[in-house]
């Protein structure tokens, strides 16, 4: 059954998606609605490059960590990146230090950031995700947890998030293990993304985020029958996926009552405004941060300017 909020967005836009003040996101007090997409902004490396000035001018209102898994991962073989005319195909393979390495080495540094920390976790079984959620829940430095359900199930080979029934079972398995806000990052590579969002909501998720990258392939520039990426295929992000993101965020926001984090090809305040206008409660910036490390700050300022010019009504910014 659709909520009043969902009904208000059906075929239209919410009246005042962001009035320009602090944002209450799942109980987290955010200065504005611009976050980072998981894996697209290395805050630890950025602090080494920019020093403590980064803490004074941090570009996001919350920080979403790179995906962590139970055991360390080396990632995919190179080449890992392929630039397209309107985006980027990556096949990074989620390299990380594993749960123990994250807690021992990364968490102490990330806990110094001046914004809430959201830790992204991924596993190929419900038991793996449960172990990750339990361990992360025990750390007070972490404000919320994001479940990456784009990992293939070890038994079926299909993305966990592609099957609403399996997704609901996984979220129900981990929900009792944490009192922290639980965000489910949906896969866009599914037949019915809104059904997956509804399943996550029914199982107790506090929010959903989308879209993740779209499956993509890059041919070798000299040997056309061979892939360029070391792993064969990768995920497409950047401006090319923006229309897909808008369509899927709109459809999900009409289906569920919980907050939606929209992402996909956001390069400007206007792009962020479009996602808010179709029902997103917050917007994540990903690929644009590779080009402009301060993109989050710039986009937030552009969004604030658009809101001010349109009388705090993001829905009107298309005519500004």
């Amino acid at each position: 059954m659709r909520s009043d909020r969902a009904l208000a967005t059906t075929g239209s836009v919410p009246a005042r998606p962001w009035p320009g003040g602090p944002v209450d996101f799942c109980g987290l007090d955010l200065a504005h609605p611009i976050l980072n997409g998981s894996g697209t902004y290395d805050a630890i490396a950025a602090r080494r490059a920019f020093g403590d000035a980064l803490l004074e001018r941090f570009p996001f209102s919350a920080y979403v960590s790179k995906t962590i898994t139970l055991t360390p991962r080396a990632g995919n073989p190179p080449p890992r990146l392929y630039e397209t005319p309107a985006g980027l195909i990556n096949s990074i393979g989620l390299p990380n230090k594993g749960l123990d390495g994250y807690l021992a080495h990364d968490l102490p540094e990330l806990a110094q950031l001046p914004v809430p920390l959201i830790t992204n976790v991924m596993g190929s079984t419900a038991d793996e995700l449960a172990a990750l959620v339990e361990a992360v829940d025990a750390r007070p430095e972490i404000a919320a947890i994001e479940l990456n359900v784009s990992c293939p199930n070890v038994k079926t080979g299909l993305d966990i998030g592609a099957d609403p029934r399996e997704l609901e079972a996984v979220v129900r398995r981990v929900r009792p293990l944490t009192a922290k806000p639980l965000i489910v990052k949906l896969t866009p590579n599914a037949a019915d993304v809104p059904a997956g969002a509804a399943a996550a909501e029914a199982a107790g998720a506090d929010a959903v985020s989308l879209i993740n990258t779209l499956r993509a392939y890059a041919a070798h520039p000299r040997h056309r029958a061979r892939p360029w990426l070391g792993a064969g295929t990768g995920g497409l992000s950047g401006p090319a996926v923006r229309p897909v993101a808008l369509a899927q965020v709109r459809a999900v926001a009409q289906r569920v009552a919980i907050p939606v984090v929209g992402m996909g090809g956001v390069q400007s305040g206007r792009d962020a405004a479009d996602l808010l206008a179709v029902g997103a409660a917050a917007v994540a910036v990903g690929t644009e941060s590779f080009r402009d490390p301060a993109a989050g700050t710039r986009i937030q300022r552009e969004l604030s300017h658009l809101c001010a010019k349109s009388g705090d009504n993001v829905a009107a910014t298309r005519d500004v």
Side-chain angles (χ1 to χ4, degrees):
M1 183 174 180
R2 293 179 178 175
S3 68
D4 290 342
R5 174 182 176 276
L7 287 171
T9 64
T10 304
S12 183
V13 294
R16 293 168 64 88
W18 182 55
V23 175
D24 180 357
F25 176 71
C26 298
L28 305 181
D29 187 17
L30 308 184
H32 55 80
I34 305 301
L35 322 178
N36 68 295
S38 173
T40 62
Y41 189 90
D42 189 333
I44 295 174
R47 189 174 181 190
R48 289 172 186 154
F50 301 111
D52 288 345
L54 178 76
L55 303 184
E56 299 169 8
R57 298 188 295 274
F58 196 70
F60 306 105
S61 62
Y63 180 72
V64 184
S65 77
K66 294 187 290 186
T67 296
I68 62 168
T69 50
L70 269 181
T71 57
R73 289 172 61 111
N76 289 336
R80 293 178 170 185
L81 296 174
Y82 185 90
E83 191 170 357
T84 70
L88 186 70
I89 304 175
N90 91 81
S91 181
I92 305 299
L94 303 177
N96 71 98
K97 300 171 185 175
L99 174 62
D100 291 342
Y102 173 79
L103 296 178
H105 302 292
D106 290 355
L107 184 57
E109 295 193 61
L110 295 178
Q112 297 178 41
L113 297 176
V115 297
L117 172 62
I118 301 171
T119 295
N120 180 293
V121 300
M122 186 184 76
S124 57
T125 66
D127 287 342
E128 286 185 11
L129 281 168
L132 286 159
V133 168
E134 276 192 303
V136 168
D137 176 73
R139 302 303 296 260
E141 308 97 314
I142 298 170
I145 302 170
E146 183 174 63
L147 296 182
N148 182 348
V149 294
S150 295
C151 182
N153 180 293
V154 292
K155 294 181 179 179
T156 67
L158 298 175
D159 287 356
I160 291 173
D163 182 343
R165 290 174 299 179
E166 184 174 0
L167 175 58
E168 183 172 351
V170 166
V171 177
R172 285 195 187 280
R173 171 77 169 83
V174 305
R175 175 70 276 184
L177 304 178
T178 181
K180 299 181 190 292
L182 189 64
I183 307 160
V184 175
K185 187 165 188 178
L186 301 171
T187 175
N189 304 302
D192 190 345
V193 176
E201 179 182 38
D206 295 292
V208 292
S209 61
L210 68 152
I211 63 172
N212 209 331
T213 57
L214 303 176
R215 291 196 189 101
Y217 175 90
H220 195 287
R222 294 184 300 277
H223 308 284
R224 309 305 296 183
R226 287 167 43 191
W228 168 257
L229 297 167
T233 60
L236 177 66
S237 62
V241 309
R242 190 184 306 138
V244 178
L246 281 168
Q248 292 197 5
V249 168
R250 181 177 183 272
V252 166
Q254 291 175 3
R255 184 73 174 268
V256 301
I258 55 178
V260 176
V261 181
M263 67 193 81
V266 176
Q267 293 182 292
S268 68
R270 188 174 297 276
D271 297 334
D274 284 345
L275 283 167
L276 292 172
V278 298
V283 173
V285 177
T287 301
E288 182 69 3
S289 290
F290 291 106
R291 190 187 69 82
D292 174 11
T297 299
R298 172 177 55 78
I299 290 168
Q300 187 271 324
R301 288 174 178 166
E302 292 171 356
L303 178 62
S304 295
H305 179 65
L306 287 172
C307 288
K309 289 183 68 175
S310 62
D312 289 344
N313 188 345
V314 173
T317 60
R318 292 186 182 88
D319 298 324
V320 173

mmCIF file of all heavy atoms in Angstrom, residues 298-317:
data_model
loop_
_atom_site.group_PDB
_atom_site.id
_atom_site.type_symbol
_atom_site.label_atom_id
_atom_site.label_comp_id
_atom_site.label_asym_id
_atom_site.label_seq_id
_atom_site.Cartn_x
_atom_site.Cartn_y
_atom_site.Cartn_z
ATOM 1 N N ARG A 298 30.535 21.957 -4.546
ATOM 2 C CA ARG A 298 30.021 22.764 -5.657
ATOM 3 C C ARG A 298 28.565 22.426 -5.945
ATOM 4 O O ARG A 298 27.726 23.326 -6.131
ATOM 5 C CB ARG A 298 30.875 22.541 -6.909
ATOM 6 C CG ARG A 298 30.299 23.186 -8.169
ATOM 7 C CD ARG A 298 31.206 22.993 -9.366
ATOM 8 N NE ARG A 298 31.534 21.616 -9.629
ATOM 9 C CZ ARG A 298 30.727 20.746 -10.222
ATOM 10 N NH1 ARG A 298 29.494 21.113 -10.592
ATOM 11 N NH2 ARG A 298 31.115 19.502 -10.445
ATOM 12 N N ILE A 299 28.227 21.162 -5.992
ATOM 13 C CA ILE A 299 26.867 20.741 -6.308
ATOM 14 C C ILE A 299 25.896 21.201 -5.226
ATOM 15 O O ILE A 299 24.780 21.645 -5.518
ATOM 16 C CB ILE A 299 26.824 19.214 -6.518
ATOM 17 C CG1 ILE A 299 27.547 18.855 -7.824
ATOM 18 C CG2 ILE A 299 25.396 18.692 -6.522
ATOM 19 C CD1 ILE A 299 27.828 17.384 -7.997
ATOM 20 N N GLN A 300 26.327 21.116 -3.966
ATOM 21 C CA GLN A 300 25.457 21.574 -2.876
ATOM 22 C C GLN A 300 25.195 23.074 -2.991
ATOM 23 O O GLN A 300 24.067 23.540 -2.793
ATOM 24 C CB GLN A 300 26.093 21.233 -1.532
ATOM 25 C CG GLN A 300 25.197 21.509 -0.335
ATOM 26 C CD GLN A 300 25.337 22.919 0.194
ATOM 27 O OE1 GLN A 300 26.442 23.467 0.190
ATOM 28 N NE2 GLN A 300 24.245 23.504 0.640
ATOM 29 N N ARG A 301 26.215 23.838 -3.329
ATOM 30 C CA ARG A 301 26.034 25.279 -3.471
ATOM 31 C C ARG A 301 25.124 25.608 -4.657
ATOM 32 O O ARG A 301 24.267 26.499 -4.562
ATOM 33 C CB ARG A 301 27.395 25.965 -3.639
ATOM 34 C CG ARG A 301 28.223 25.998 -2.360
ATOM 35 C CD ARG A 301 29.598 26.554 -2.605
ATOM 36 N NE ARG A 301 30.374 26.632 -1.360
ATOM 37 C CZ ARG A 301 31.676 26.831 -1.308
ATOM 38 N NH1 ARG A 301 32.370 26.992 -2.433
ATOM 39 N NH2 ARG A 301 32.300 26.890 -0.147
ATOM 40 N N GLU A 302 25.324 24.891 -5.759
ATOM 41 C CA GLU A 302 24.464 25.120 -6.924
ATOM 42 C C GLU A 302 23.016 24.773 -6.598
ATOM 43 O O GLU A 302 22.087 25.483 -7.005
ATOM 44 C CB GLU A 302 24.955 24.286 -8.107
ATOM 45 C CG GLU A 302 26.296 24.730 -8.662
ATOM 46 C CD GLU A 302 26.864 23.759 -9.687
ATOM 47 O OE1 GLU A 302 26.245 22.690 -9.916
ATOM 48 O OE2 GLU A 302 27.936 24.065 -10.254
ATOM 49 N N LEU A 303 22.826 23.683 -5.847
ATOM 50 C CA LEU A 303 21.477 23.282 -5.462
ATOM 51 C C LEU A 303 20.837 24.327 -4.554
ATOM 52 O O LEU A 303 19.666 24.683 -4.729
ATOM 53 C CB LEU A 303 21.525 21.922 -4.767
ATOM 54 C CG LEU A 303 20.197 21.364 -4.247
ATOM 55 C CD1 LEU A 303 19.219 21.145 -5.390
ATOM 56 C CD2 LEU A 303 20.438 20.052 -3.490
ATOM 57 N N SER A 304 21.602 24.848 -3.604
ATOM 58 C CA SER A 304 21.082 25.890 -2.718
ATOM 59 C C SER A 304 20.679 27.124 -3.510
ATOM 60 O O SER A 304 19.644 27.745 -3.243
ATOM 61 C CB SER A 304 22.143 26.263 -1.675
ATOM 62 O OG SER A 304 22.420 25.179 -0.822
ATOM 63 N N HIS A 305 21.496 27.481 -4.500
ATOM 64 C CA HIS A 305 21.201 28.654 -5.327
ATOM 65 C C HIS A 305 19.908 28.443 -6.112
ATOM 66 O O HIS A 305 19.060 29.342 -6.199
ATOM 67 C CB HIS A 305 22.370 28.906 -6.277
ATOM 68 C CG HIS A 305 22.165 30.070 -7.188
ATOM 69 N ND1 HIS A 305 22.071 31.370 -6.742
ATOM 70 C CD2 HIS A 305 22.028 30.119 -8.541
ATOM 71 C CE1 HIS A 305 21.883 32.174 -7.774
ATOM 72 N NE2 HIS A 305 21.853 31.450 -8.872
ATOM 73 N N LEU A 306 19.739 27.245 -6.671
ATOM 74 C CA LEU A 306 18.519 26.945 -7.419
ATOM 75 C C LEU A 306 17.290 27.015 -6.510
ATOM 76 O O LEU A 306 16.246 27.551 -6.897
ATOM 77 C CB LEU A 306 18.621 25.559 -8.051
ATOM 78 C CG LEU A 306 19.555 25.413 -9.249
ATOM 79 C CD1 LEU A 306 19.705 23.949 -9.627
ATOM 80 C CD2 LEU A 306 19.047 26.209 -10.432
ATOM 81 N N CYS A 307 17.428 26.475 -5.299
ATOM 82 C CA CYS A 307 16.304 26.509 -4.369
ATOM 83 C C CYS A 307 15.934 27.944 -4.015
ATOM 84 O O CYS A 307 14.756 28.293 -3.944
ATOM 85 C CB CYS A 307 16.653 25.736 -3.102
ATOM 86 S SG CYS A 307 16.717 23.949 -3.316
ATOM 87 N N ALA A 308 16.966 28.777 -3.784
ATOM 88 C CA ALA A 308 16.707 30.165 -3.418
ATOM 89 C C ALA A 308 16.015 30.910 -4.555
ATOM 90 O O ALA A 308 15.078 31.684 -4.344
ATOM 91 C CB ALA A 308 18.016 30.859 -3.053
ATOM 92 N N LYS A 309 16.447 30.664 -5.780
ATOM 93 C CA LYS A 309 15.856 31.356 -6.922
ATOM 94 C C LYS A 309 14.438 30.892 -7.203
ATOM 95 O O LYS A 309 13.629 31.642 -7.768
ATOM 96 C CB LYS A 309 16.718 31.142 -8.169
ATOM 97 C CG LYS A 309 18.045 31.877 -8.146
ATOM 98 C CD LYS A 309 18.805 31.668 -9.436
ATOM 99 C CE LYS A 309 18.121 32.351 -10.604
ATOM 100 N NZ LYS A 309 18.912 32.247 -11.854
ATOM 101 N N SER A 310 14.121 29.669 -6.810
ATOM 102 C CA SER A 310 12.796 29.128 -7.115
ATOM 103 C C SER A 310 11.876 29.153 -5.908
ATOM 104 O O SER A 310 10.853 28.465 -5.893
ATOM 105 C CB SER A 310 12.932 27.695 -7.642
ATOM 106 O OG SER A 310 13.520 26.868 -6.656
ATOM 107 N N GLY A 311 12.248 29.929 -4.881
ATOM 108 C CA GLY A 311 11.405 30.003 -3.691
ATOM 109 C C GLY A 311 11.398 28.721 -2.894
ATOM 110 O O GLY A 311 10.372 28.319 -2.367
ATOM 111 N N ASP A 312 12.571 28.073 -2.796
ATOM 112 C CA ASP A 312 12.728 26.835 -2.012
ATOM 113 C C ASP A 312 11.975 25.666 -2.624
ATOM 114 O O ASP A 312 11.813 24.645 -1.972
ATOM 115 C CB ASP A 312 12.280 27.016 -0.562
ATOM 116 C CG ASP A 312 13.230 27.891 0.225
ATOM 117 O OD1 ASP A 312 14.366 28.108 -0.238
ATOM 118 O OD2 ASP A 312 12.815 28.337 1.297
ATOM 119 N N ASN A 313 11.502 25.765 -3.832
ATOM 120 C CA ASN A 313 10.767 24.671 -4.462
ATOM 121 C C ASN A 313 11.612 24.089 -5.568
ATOM 122 O O ASN A 313 11.730 24.668 -6.641
ATOM 123 C CB ASN A 313 9.432 25.172 -5.011
ATOM 124 C CG ASN A 313 8.549 24.022 -5.496
ATOM 125 O OD1 ASN A 313 9.031 22.913 -5.667
ATOM 126 N ND2 ASN A 313 7.285 24.297 -5.705
ATOM 127 N N VAL A 314 12.238 22.930 -5.294
ATOM 128 C CA VAL A 314 13.112 22.307 -6.277
ATOM 129 C C VAL A 314 12.371 21.978 -7.559
ATOM 130 O O VAL A 314 12.915 21.988 -8.649
ATOM 131 C CB VAL A 314 13.773 21.051 -5.685
ATOM 132 C CG1 VAL A 314 14.548 20.285 -6.736
ATOM 133 C CG2 VAL A 314 14.695 21.425 -4.538
ATOM 134 N N ALA A 315 11.080 21.683 -7.424
ATOM 135 C CA ALA A 315 10.286 21.319 -8.612
ATOM 136 C C ALA A 315 10.281 22.419 -9.651
ATOM 137 O O ALA A 315 10.073 22.173 -10.826
ATOM 138 C CB ALA A 315 8.861 20.993 -8.201
ATOM 139 N N ALA A 316 10.506 23.661 -9.219
ATOM 140 C CA ALA A 316 10.448 24.799 -10.149
ATOM 141 C C ALA A 316 11.782 25.088 -10.800
ATOM 142 O O ALA A 316 11.863 25.940 -11.685
ATOM 143 C CB ALA A 316 9.965 26.031 -9.413
ATOM 144 N N THR A 317 12.868 24.374 -10.406
ATOM 145 C CA THR A 317 14.184 24.740 -10.877
ATOM 146 C C THR A 317 14.384 24.460 -12.360
ATOM 147 O O THR A 317 15.288 25.006 -12.969
ATOM 148 C CB THR A 317 15.275 24.001 -10.095
ATOM 149 O OG1 THR A 317 15.103 22.586 -10.252
ATOM 150 C CG2 THR A 317 15.214 24.361 -8.623
#
